[in-house]
Amino acid sequence: MPNLLLFLLGVLLFAAFFRYDFIFYVLYVFFFIYIGARFWVRAVVKRIQIERQYEPRALHGEKQVVTVKVHNRSWLPIPYMRLHESAPIQLKMPNFERAVVSLRARESAELSYTLDCRQRGYYELGPLTLEVGDLFGIYREERQITTGDHIAVYPRIVPLQDLRLPAQTPYGTIKRPQSLMQDPSRMMGVCPYQSGDSMRHIHWKMTASSGQLQVKRFEPAISIEAQLYLNLNRSEYTTQRASQASELAIVTTASFVSLLTAQRQTVGFTSNGYDPLVGEHKAVHLPSARGEAQQTAILDILARIQLTEAAPFEELLRRARLNLRWGGTSVVITPHASDALVDTLLLLKRSGLNVVLILVDPQSTFTVIVRRMEQAGIQAFQVWQERDLDIWR
Amino acid sequence: MISGDSPQPNTLNLGASSTQMIIEELVQSLAIAGMVTCISLAVGFFIDSIMSGWPVRFMSIFVFFIALESIYAERLLQLREVGQRDATRFRIVEWIVILLALRFGIYFSLGWERLLTDAAMWNKDAASFFSPGFQMSALFTLVYWWLARYMSKSIQELKSDRAELPVRVTDPDFYLRSTLPRKGRVDRLSRIQGFTTVFFLGGVLMIALAGLSQMDVRYLEFKSLPSPKVGVNILVYFLLGLLLVSQIHYTTLKALWTIQGIPITSRLGRRWVASLIAFLVIAGILARLMPVDYSVGIISIISTVVRWVAYAVLYAIYLIIAGVTYLFMWVVSFFKSTPTQTMIPPTPMPTPEPPPLTADPTQTASWVQIAKSLFFWVLLVGVGGYALLHFLNDRMDLFRRLRALRLFRWLASFLSGLGRRTADLWRVLQRTVRKQADALASAVKPKPRMRAAKWKEMSERERLRFLYLALLESAREQGIARPDAATPFEFEPELAAALTDAAGPAANLTRGFVLARYTEHPVDSSLVEAARMDWSAAKRALNARKRRLAEQRALDAETQKR
């Protein structure tokens, strides 16, 4: 209400001059409206609370419904409240949701919208901007509420069936020729008892039925860790393919993690990328573990991680190899194989680790690299596009 | 999507229902008309305090309707999107009707006699039709009319226009609408500012006029304590104004949200009204609880200072008003036949002498007066009739809508039912009265039957009866009345004795009557012809008897004189 104060001044002068009751009433009414409008708006804005209801993790391609619940904790009603909820532009177009609501005292309203999770990332939801005003246009107040709500959209996971790695590569609890260890849960058959066989492995039922001592034969197995190393050093990617190649590297990593978890293998993750929760210039390292929780933890990181100007990848590899036990498998996913990287991989190999190299943005002829890696006993693969992952399907 | 805590989720409703819109429009129009009426009341009280006799009540009622008319006419023009020429015609017609309504409507308060007196004056001097009081009233009416129109127009322009709404590229009108010159250029802030400025200025003016109307301007003193009703119209004005300001704010916000495509909960409108009423009630109660009588020194000082400043300003205003009035009167004197006539409102004008019934030979010839009067009234009736016709024609939709309203339908059916009942009652009353009258008449004197019937329309039987009855009537006039209990044959000797010259024809007529009245014997024309000749003979005999008796009476009288 423009010119209200000027009007109040005029009425005050007339009231002082004429001393009529009704002029004072008019003056008081307008005064209370002026003061009351401000008090009202300020009082209710302070006491508004919001709560977002959503799933904090989403698979690639999923649609997630986000519900923003706005509570009026005040004992005063809100005549109108304009809500403007910001949303990540990668997940929603347009990147906001708006509504106008009216709330009674202690009432709440909900604002819902759907996110189309079509791009990997770690996104902030909100902030929610709300505007509350009075009934006469005297006063209005805006408040921005940031709750720190985030949603992690996992990278696309390509369903892989078989890693088709060399047989001597011991991925977790799998059969291996050298029976260093046996898995008592995987009985292969029975055979006659020989001297030195463990008495614990005698198959008593078969012994009774055959009349000779029979012992159980188990599949040879060994539990060996697999560690995935992801290079997200921006300077090592070509400018043209940096975005596409890094995403491809992440998709490859996620697909490997998914498969290994499905096969109940131990898997760890190390990267030099930027994780917003960890901070700048800090490597991300997740020790080997198995199970759904480990998979979720790795996928969470993969949802958040980004290209960054990091320290050379070789240094990270050198340090990380110390965390891996002998016989473990190192899957290195990197844009290209520089001489320094090859030297480091050889070091890993010599340390008793099995090494697999996956290149997503090779800057020299891949066949040359493959030949060089074969000489060192390292398998190398090129993933130029997502379709190249089909070799493991 | 938005929803509330209630079991039924909020539904989005971008457009209000037609009923809600009609109510909004109606309430809005009534509020504006009420505000303008309140201003007119304050102005009226003030003028009345200076020049007593100003028709405050009539002007207030009139202004209320004029404000409604102004709002309706404005919306009608906007709706029809007429050209400049039609709009001008529309306005001319509207204003002729308004002026005529003002000129003649004032006699509701002045009375019928005053109208006749003034009409006589207009016959003498057509210019007196536009008396200063009328001119002043018309001027005020014009201001109120404009005020209502301005406020209504401001509110209307705040609403979202179709051209402002976002248009899809697939819309066939995309190019047209995206290149419209007015697209997105409605300056709502200036509209709101304009409205609130008018509201505040009107309020301050009312307060000032209400205060001044309670003062004796000669001595700059308060006449007495103000009566409680003085401030009522001002409080009503501010109440209506606040409601409208709030509604304007709501309309503006809603328009902006609609343009931006923001969904609005359907409850918003209802809750807005509820909150507004509650807020105003609380503010009103708090205001009522506040002290209005003060004796604090600083306030007194301010009051004194303000009072002195106001005295000075008041003197200046009165000097200006006096100057302007003098100038105005001087200009008006050029157009008046009687230069001594002063500009006063129509009520206090002295009742003029009625015009002489006979033409004064010293004055202009009577035919000139008649021609002037005739011309005046023809012009007045012609222009007024034409304007009224077009005025009603322009608002035919309104009447149709009014007729469609349930209240009006009920009223119409009630009135038509009442009319039918009244007509039935009238017919019943007529019949009853007629019956009673007939009964009374027949009691007083025997009604000659078939006298009124035409001879040509009678049958042969009726003619036979008629000739006998006509003879009886003639005989009765000469004092030979048939007793009620006597049959025709019983009366025949008496009749034959009276008509000594026509005893035979009288006997024939008696038999013929009995034949026609009491038997089914066929009656042919020969019988009627014979009866007619008998009737002529009997009539001649009766006339001869009458002459004879007259001569006898004259002779007797002469004898008595002698």
Side-chain angles (χ1 to χ4, degrees):
Chain A
M1 220 190 296
N3 305 324
L4 178 60
L5 286 176
L6 204 64
F7 167 74
L8 283 177
L9 190 67
V11 175
L12 178 67
L13 289 176
F14 278 112
F17 179 68
F18 290 122
R19 293 190 176 192
Y20 289 160
D21 291 1
F22 67 87
I23 305 180
F24 281 102
Y25 290 141
V26 169
L27 184 67
Y28 283 134
V29 165
F30 274 89
F31 180 73
F32 283 127
I33 285 173
Y34 183 74
I35 297 294
R38 285 170 175 270
F39 166 77
W40 187 355
V41 172
R42 283 181 182 173
V44 293
V45 164
K46 273 182 198 166
R47 308 216 57 189
I48 292 170
Q49 285 184 354
I50 69 157
E51 178 192 352
R52 277 194 196 82
Q53 293 171 342
Y54 68 103
E55 283 293 324
R57 297 177 182 87
L59 293 174
H60 188 277
E62 263 188 348
K63 289 195 187 296
Q64 279 277 8
V65 176
V66 180
T67 303
V68 186
K69 206 166 182 180
V70 185
H71 307 272
N72 175 21
R73 299 283 179 206
S74 164
W75 287 102
L76 293 170
I78 299 175
Y80 80 90
M81 178 165 59
R82 190 173 67 87
L83 303 169
H84 181 109
E85 162 83 342
S86 298
I89 196 162
Q90 295 90 340
L91 308 187
K92 190 175 186 309
M93 188 65 98
N95 62 334
F96 54 80
E97 187 70 25
R98 297 181 297 191
V100 175
V101 296
S102 172
L103 293 177
R104 283 198 296 256
R106 318 292 289 178
E107 197 187 18
S108 54
E110 288 180 357
L111 169 72
S112 298
Y113 58 94
T114 305
L115 295 177
D116 186 7
C117 304
R118 57 187 181 274
Q119 190 171 334
R120 176 198 71 88
Y122 183 66
Y123 303 104
E124 184 183 0
L125 298 179
L128 177 77
T129 307
L130 48 93
E131 180 194 306
V132 178
D134 71 299
L135 296 162
F136 302 98
I138 294 170
Y139 187 72
R140 71 187 173 93
E141 193 166 311
E142 259 191 23
R143 185 181 159 200
Q144 203 173 62
I145 303 176
T146 309
T147 52
D149 288 325
H150 285 82
I151 185 168
V153 178
Y154 289 166
R156 184 171 145 73
I157 297 170
V158 179
L160 304 178
Q161 297 293 326
D162 182 10
L163 292 179
R164 293 177 61 190
L165 296 173
Q168 66 270 23
T169 307
Y171 277 105
T173 315
I174 55 173
K175 191 166 65 177
R176 80 188 285 245
Q178 304 94 331
S179 53
L180 296 175
M181 300 285 285
Q182 288 182 326
D183 188 345
S185 64
R186 294 184 175 191
M187 198 177 81
M188 198 164 57
V190 291
C191 66
Y193 175 79
Q194 289 179 358
S195 176
D197 285 345
S198 172
M199 290 295 284
R200 288 186 302 169
H201 294 164
I202 293 173
H203 197 301
W204 294 107
K205 284 185 180 174
M206 286 297 293
T207 302
S209 62
S210 63
Q212 284 188 334
L213 279 172
Q214 299 287 328
V215 288
K216 294 172 190 169
R217 306 290 292 173
F218 298 105
E219 285 186 357
I222 188 165
S223 178
I224 295 178
E225 301 158 353
Q227 189 77 14
L228 302 170
Y229 297 96
L230 176 63
N231 183 7
L232 286 176
N233 188 0
R234 190 193 301 275
S235 59
E236 295 186 41
Y237 284 84
T238 54
T239 313
Q240 297 84 354
R241 261 180 64 84
S243 173
Q244 188 189 347
S246 61
E247 285 302 314
L248 197 57
I250 290 166
V251 168
T252 306
T253 311
S255 303
F256 270 64
V257 169
S258 178
L259 178 62
L260 290 170
T261 306
Q263 290 183 343
R264 300 178 181 178
Q265 303 304 308
T266 307
V267 62
F269 176 73
T270 304
S271 176
N272 57 351
Y274 167 63
D275 182 348
L277 297 189
V278 175
E280 202 80 61
H281 304 302
K282 284 182 182 172
V284 181
H285 177 72
L286 213 59
S288 297
R290 75 171 74 194
E292 293 290 331
Q294 176 73 352
Q295 183 190 19
T296 305
I298 296 174
L299 287 177
D300 280 347
I301 294 171
L302 288 175
R304 297 194 296 264
I305 207 156
Q306 296 166 24
L307 277 177
T308 186
E309 297 298 335
F313 187 55
E314 296 78 21
E315 280 184 27
L316 182 72
L317 276 178
R318 283 172 200 274
R319 274 189 276 121
R321 75 183 166 86
L322 301 175
N323 298 321
L324 204 61
R325 281 178 279 180
W326 180 89
T329 302
S330 299
V331 180
V332 179
I333 302 157
T334 184
H336 78 105
S338 62
D339 291 342
L341 180 69
V342 171
D343 291 344
T344 311
L345 293 179
L346 285 172
L347 180 65
L348 292 178
K349 188 69 183 170
R350 283 199 292 271
S351 305
L353 300 173
N354 298 292
V355 180
V356 177
L357 177 67
I358 298 171
L359 301 177
V360 291
D361 188 17
Q363 288 155 28
S364 53
T365 313
F366 181 65
T367 48
V368 177
I369 298 169
V370 169
R371 205 174 302 132
R372 196 174 169 190
M373 290 294 115
E374 276 178 353
Q375 287 170 358
I378 297 170
Q379 267 202 320
F381 299 91
Q382 183 189 18
V383 178
W384 186 255
Q385 52 192 347
E386 208 171 283
R387 205 168 48 197
D388 294 337
L389 290 171
D390 287 351
I391 57 169
W392 291 295
R393 300 185 81 167
Chain B
M1 196 177 76
I2 45 180
S3 60
D5 260 352
S6 57
Q8 289 181 339
N10 283 348
T11 51
L12 299 185
N13 185 13
L14 292 177
S17 67
S18 59
T19 316
Q20 192 183 339
M21 278 180 67
I22 288 168
I23 290 170
E24 266 182 32
E25 297 282 320
L26 196 66
V27 170
Q28 197 182 84
S29 305
L30 288 174
I32 292 173
M35 284 174 71
V36 176
T37 307
C38 288
I39 295 177
S40 82
L41 268 171
V43 173
F45 284 137
F46 178 69
I47 295 174
D48 192 45
S49 70
I50 300 171
M51 302 180 289
S52 62
W54 179 261
V56 179
R57 190 182 295 174
F58 165 74
M59 277 305 286
S60 305
I61 296 168
F62 185 71
V63 164
F64 181 77
F65 286 108
I66 286 304
L68 285 178
E69 154 58 24
S70 163
I71 295 164
Y72 181 70
E74 183 63 29
R75 291 187 189 172
L76 209 62
L77 280 180
Q78 278 182 0
L79 199 70
R80 290 185 184 171
E81 296 176 346
V82 295
Q84 185 64 39
R85 191 177 160 188
D86 283 342
T88 310
R89 181 200 64 80
F90 185 90
R91 290 295 184 203
I92 289 171
V93 163
E94 184 188 10
W95 263 97
I96 288 172
V97 172
I98 288 173
L99 290 176
L100 286 175
L102 176 66
R103 194 69 188 93
F104 291 103
I106 202 164
Y107 293 103
F108 282 113
S109 63
L110 296 181
W112 175 249
E113 288 178 0
R114 180 63 189 271
L115 172 62
L116 292 178
T117 316
D118 284 357
M121 264 185 74
W122 303 336
N123 275 340
K124 281 176 72 180
D125 180 13
S128 66
F129 186 80
F130 302 98
S131 62
F134 173 60
Q135 289 174 27
M136 199 167 161
S137 311
L139 193 67
F140 277 117
T141 306
L142 176 66
V143 172
Y144 299 136
W145 177 87
W146 177 84
L147 211 58
R149 178 176 167 269
Y150 176 78
M151 288 200 278
S152 169
K153 201 175 172 186
S154 297
I155 296 174
Q156 283 297 311
E157 284 174 349
L158 290 172
K159 292 179 181 171
S160 61
D161 192 72
R162 186 176 166 266
E164 289 181 300
L165 297 176
V167 56
R168 290 171 184 274
V169 283
T170 50
D171 195 314
D173 293 339
F174 173 74
Y175 179 75
L176 176 72
R177 286 180 54 192
S178 58
T179 53
L180 278 175
R182 282 187 73 247
K183 181 175 161 53
R185 289 189 188 172
V186 176
D187 187 3
R188 290 189 167 77
L189 190 64
S190 70
R191 264 51 162 201
I192 294 172
Q193 275 184 338
F195 183 86
T196 47
T197 305
V198 168
F199 170 49
F200 288 148
L201 280 178
V204 170
L205 179 77
M206 285 174 72
I207 289 172
L209 290 179
L212 290 174
S213 65
Q214 299 299 311
M215 283 184 72
D216 191 337
V217 291
R218 288 169 301 179
Y219 308 107
L220 288 176
E221 284 177 354
F222 291 100
K223 291 173 187 169
S224 59
L225 287 172
S227 69
K229 68 177 183 182
V230 168
V232 171
N233 64 318
I234 296 173
L235 293 176
V236 170
Y237 171 84
F238 280 113
L239 179 69
L240 292 175
L242 283 171
L243 288 172
L244 269 182
V245 166
S246 183
Q247 204 213 348
I248 283 173
H249 185 48
Y250 175 73
T251 308
T252 311
L253 287 174
K254 201 173 166 189
L256 289 175
W257 295 331
T258 308
I259 291 164
Q260 291 170 5
I262 302 177
I264 307 163
T265 52
S266 57
R267 299 169 185 172
L268 190 68
R270 276 175 287 164
R271 289 188 178 177
W272 187 286
V273 174
S275 304
L276 177 64
I277 291 169
F279 190 55
L280 287 179
V281 166
I282 291 168
I285 290 170
L286 287 175
R288 189 69 186 85
L289 294 175
M290 290 291 117
V292 291
D293 191 16
Y294 58 84
S295 57
V296 184
I298 188 72
I299 301 285
S300 300
I301 291 165
I302 292 171
S303 171
T304 311
V305 170
V306 167
R307 198 175 284 210
W308 277 105
V309 171
Y311 288 162
V313 171
L314 209 62
Y315 269 122
I317 289 170
Y318 272 99
L319 280 174
I320 292 166
I321 289 173
V324 170
T325 311
Y326 179 77
L327 197 66
F328 181 71
M329 292 307 299
W330 182 67
V331 171
V332 164
S333 66
F334 284 103
F335 301 100
K336 298 298 294 177
S337 57
T338 52
T340 52
Q341 198 168 5
T342 53
M343 189 187 76
I344 49 171
T347 29
M349 284 197 298
T351 308
E353 288 294 321
L357 293 173
T358 53
D360 188 351
T362 58
Q363 287 184 350
T364 323
S366 61
W367 67 269
V368 177
Q369 292 287 349
I370 292 167
K372 273 173 71 178
S373 302
L374 195 66
F375 178 73
F376 171 76
W377 286 109
V378 165
L379 188 71
L380 189 70
V381 171
V383 172
Y386 175 81
L388 190 66
L389 199 70
H390 280 270
F391 183 83
L392 295 176
N393 196 33
D394 288 336
R395 285 149 187 81
M396 203 53 80
D397 282 348
L398 176 68
F399 298 127
R400 270 196 216 105
R401 283 183 195 173
L402 285 176
R403 277 168 59 187
L405 283 177
R406 190 178 292 173
L407 175 70
F408 278 83
R409 282 208 303 268
W410 176 84
L411 203 63
S413 68
F414 173 74
L415 287 175
S416 69
L418 195 69
R420 274 200 306 275
R421 292 282 169 87
T422 312
D424 290 345
L425 200 67
W426 176 245
R427 274 196 291 275
V428 169
L429 195 69
Q430 270 183 326
R431 273 202 295 271
T432 313
V433 168
R434 200 175 293 148
K435 270 184 186 173
Q436 293 293 331
D438 288 348
L440 198 66
S442 63
V444 171
K445 63 174 188 179
K447 187 182 173 188
R449 276 172 282 179
M450 290 189 285
R451 175 63 62 90
K454 288 181 179 177
W455 178 260
K456 285 181 183 175
E457 292 171 3
M458 290 180 189
S459 62
E460 302 295 347
R461 189 178 292 275
E462 284 170 344
R463 285 176 181 172
L464 210 56
R465 288 168 57 192
F466 175 77
L467 289 170
Y468 174 73
L469 291 172
L471 178 66
L472 285 189
E473 179 66 19
S474 301
R476 190 186 62 78
E477 285 172 359
Q478 291 192 23
I480 318 164
R482 189 186 74 166
D484 285 342
T487 61
F489 284 128
E490 285 172 351
F491 182 59
E492 189 195 335
E494 193 182 342
L495 192 63
L499 305 172
T500 49
D501 300 340
N508 290 340
L509 282 172
T510 304
R511 279 196 298 278
F513 173 77
V514 172
L515 183 82
R517 176 69 179 82
Y518 300 110
T519 69
E520 292 182 355
H521 192 277
V523 177
D524 56 7
S525 58
S526 61
L527 272 175
V528 175
E529 193 56 37
R532 196 170 173 182
M533 289 174 68
D534 289 339
W535 177 79
S536 298
K539 188 77 178 171
R540 275 198 301 274
L542 276 173
N543 287 339
R545 182 177 177 272
K546 191 177 177 183
R547 276 197 303 274
R548 210 164 43 242
L549 286 174
E551 285 169 4
Q552 186 64 41
R553 271 198 295 273
L555 207 63
D556 291 346
E558 200 172 328
T559 311
Q560 280 179 359
K561 275 184 185 175
R562 285 177 187 168

